[in-house]
Amino acid sequence: MNIKKVLLSCLMLAGVLSVSAQEAKTEYVHNPYWYIQVQGGAQYTLGEIDFKDLISPNVQVSLGRQFTPIFGARLSVNAWQSRAGIELNSFTYPNVSGEGAQGTTTATRQGGTTKWKWMYVAPGIDFTFNLSNIICGYNPNRIFNVSAFIGGGANIAWGMDKASNWDNDITAQYFVNTYAETGQQNIDYYWTGTKVRGYGRAGITADFRVSEAVSLGLEVNANTLSDHYNGKKANNWDWYFNALAGIKINLGKTHTTRTIEAPKPVERVVEKVVEKIIEKPCPPVEPTSAVVVKEPFRRDVFFSINKTAVTKQEQVKVKEVADYLKANPNATVEVTGYADRGTGNPRINKRLSDQRAKSVFNMLTKQYKIAASRIKVDSKGDTIQPFAKEVENRVTICIAE
């Protein structure tokens, strides 16, 4: 492969990259949408007996709305069952022949685990926050999303049955009264009927996107209520924890797309410096004489990038301007500074052109003793580019006449 082919390939690649950089971009736009969610799993009600004895079934149904890529809210109904229990020691109680009736004999109750359960339904409102969009930016096609939520509501509970290993002839209330007298454990908050208590909760969810409309999810939440919830007096908040799995169905389009047009290339206009042409009346021309037009004296003093000092090489040109002015006492000179538009910015380039013109002015007045009244100083910044090559526009042009 020869050098010409290599250079041609590089130029073509650069052209492709340049066109690619100017292509339009597609951006996702979030649409607020509703969704429904159905979940099922298990609950652990915090207690002092074995973990397995405090596990109960749990379900949850939710209707939510995603307002922004980050923030949403949902109305959820969590329900089914909670459990509690205590460890019993042996104790003696009056024997009974029927519910609530006391006999004259006594019976001994052997120790062991005593458990009870009850039903509940807990409507509430949660505020959700999409952590994936907060950290990684909005992407409706992301496969895995993690969210957090916080909320609260009302827990409506009923049916706290008698303990699973109580004798059939002892009522729940009688057991509570008798057991409390032993001082083994405080169950003063054992309740009957229906109770409504406020609760607060927080949790985290993980959703796996199946399609735009459907996702499968896992959820873990922690709920806290007053000390009366599980029937045992402990002087602290009662807790239960839910682990759920389910499906979420989005209602309607969750997002749209829009195209961001690529910026149009900036048209660069190169202005040419038009030198002043002075027309002077010509004397009568003799048939045999030639017309001589005197050109203005001009020198272009070039500078390095971002520099304003005249180099030794360019100082020769400034001396030539001074020599011309000394040889022509009536002549004046225009000293105009410029900067190239390809580097810096308009503010910086205006300063550079000012200082470049000032450098030439100082050399003429201080080093060569040219009167300041014979020098007109101007600067154009990068508004005018006198030359086609950018490197040549770092210049001070001196025109004397």
Side-chain angles (χ1 to χ4, degrees):
M1 183 180 292
N2 57 37
I3 296 177
K4 289 184 178 180
K5 289 184 178 180
V6 174
L7 293 175
L8 181 60
S9 299
C10 293
L11 290 174
M12 291 176 65
L13 178 60
V16 171
L17 293 175
S18 176
V19 171
S20 176
Q22 297 297 323
E23 290 181 351
K25 295 182 179 180
T26 300
E27 182 180 69
Y28 294 114
V29 179
H30 173 80
N31 288 341
Y33 62 91
W34 293 92
Y35 64 85
I36 57 176
Q37 191 173 27
V38 179
Q39 299 165 288
Q43 178 182 114
Y44 168 67
T45 312
L46 188 63
E48 294 79 18
I49 62 175
D50 288 346
F51 180 86
K52 61 181 178 58
D53 293 327
L54 296 174
I55 300 297
S56 55
N58 193 254
V59 294
Q60 182 167 281
V61 178
S62 304
L63 172 65
R65 183 165 177 81
Q66 192 68 34
F67 297 102
T68 72
I70 294 174
F71 175 71
R74 69 179 184 181
L75 172 63
S76 64
V77 179
N78 182 265
W80 205 328
Q81 189 182 97
S82 292
R83 296 187 178 186
I86 55 175
E87 293 293 341
L88 288 173
N89 295 328
S90 299
F91 66 94
T92 301
Y93 59 91
N95 198 4
V96 296
S97 58
E99 183 174 342
Q102 298 187 26
T104 58
T105 62
T106 60
T108 300
R109 183 70 170 86
Q110 299 300 319
T113 300
T114 295
K115 301 172 289 184
W116 57 92
K117 60 186 178 181
W118 62 99
M119 308 300 289
Y120 78 93
V121 59
I125 295 177
D126 297 321
F127 300 100
T128 64
F129 306 89
N130 189 309
L131 302 181
S132 297
N133 285 339
I134 292 175
I135 298 171
C136 303
Y138 176 56
N139 181 3
N141 296 322
R142 185 180 290 116
I143 299 298
F144 180 72
N145 282 278
V146 177
S147 300
F149 63 88
I150 186 170
N155 181 292
I156 305 167
W158 69 93
M160 184 175 276
D161 298 332
K162 61 183 179 179
S164 60
N165 59 349
W166 293 350
D167 294 333
N168 292 331
D169 56 355
I170 302 179
T171 65
Q173 189 59 52
Y174 185 71
F175 169 78
V176 171
N177 294 337
T178 304
Y179 187 61
E181 292 175 358
T182 69
Q184 297 176 41
Q185 195 169 351
N186 194 336
I187 51 175
D188 288 349
Y189 290 161
Y190 191 94
W191 52 268
T192 59
T194 299
K195 301 294 182 182
V196 179
R197 302 178 178 90
Y199 74 90
R201 74 170 180 173
I204 192 166
T205 63
D207 291 320
F208 299 85
R209 182 180 183 273
V210 178
S211 66
E212 182 179 4
V214 178
S215 62
L216 303 178
L218 300 174
E219 176 178 326
V220 177
N221 60 61
N223 304 258
T224 184
L225 307 90
S226 74
D227 190 25
H228 292 72
Y229 183 64
N230 65 6
K232 297 162 58 178
K233 183 176 181 180
N235 296 319
N236 54 33
W237 292 89
D238 288 339
W239 291 82
Y240 60 83
F241 305 88
N242 297 324
L244 304 166
I247 185 171
K248 181 167 73 172
I249 300 175
N250 301 325
L251 307 178
K253 292 187 68 63
T254 63
H255 68 281
T256 57
T257 58
R258 67 180 178 186
T259 301
I260 302 176
E261 298 294 337
K264 295 181 179 180
V266 179
E267 297 183 1
R268 302 182 65 181
V269 179
V270 178
E271 301 182 24
K272 294 184 178 180
V273 176
V274 180
E275 297 182 359
K276 185 184 293 185
I277 300 176
I278 300 176
E279 297 183 359
K280 296 183 179 180
C282 299
V285 180
E286 298 293 333
T288 57
S289 64
V291 177
V292 178
V293 179
K294 187 176 181 181
E295 294 290 335
F297 180 86
R298 170 173 169 165
R299 291 292 182 270
D300 299 334
V301 181
F302 295 100
F303 294 81
S304 300
I305 185 171
N306 203 33
K307 301 296 183 182
T308 60
V310 182
T311 63
K312 290 184 178 180
Q313 182 179 353
E314 299 299 309
Q315 287 178 8
V316 176
K317 298 177 182 179
V318 180
K319 183 178 183 303
E320 291 175 350
V321 174
D323 292 342
Y324 178 86
L325 293 174
K326 290 178 180 179
N328 298 274
N330 294 325
T332 60
V333 63
E334 291 187 6
V335 177
T336 307
Y338 299 87
D340 70 288
R341 191 177 295 160
T343 58
N345 56 52
R347 180 181 60 81
I348 294 175
N349 290 337
K350 184 63 170 69
R351 175 178 58 80
L352 289 173
S353 66
D354 289 343
Q355 294 177 356
R356 286 166 179 167
K358 188 69 173 179
S359 295
V360 175
F361 172 82
N362 289 338
M363 285 191 66
L364 291 173
T365 56
K366 296 179 181 180
Q367 185 172 341
Y368 298 107
K369 309 302 180 184
I370 303 300
S373 59
R374 299 176 64 188
I375 307 171
K376 180 181 178 182
V377 180
D378 194 8
S379 63
K380 302 297 184 182
D382 58 12
T383 60
I384 296 176
Q385 303 287 272
F387 299 104
K389 294 183 178 180
E390 290 183 350
V391 67
E392 295 179 350
N393 292 314
R394 307 163 192 156
V395 66
T396 294
I397 298 176
C398 305
I399 300 176
E401 54 188 8

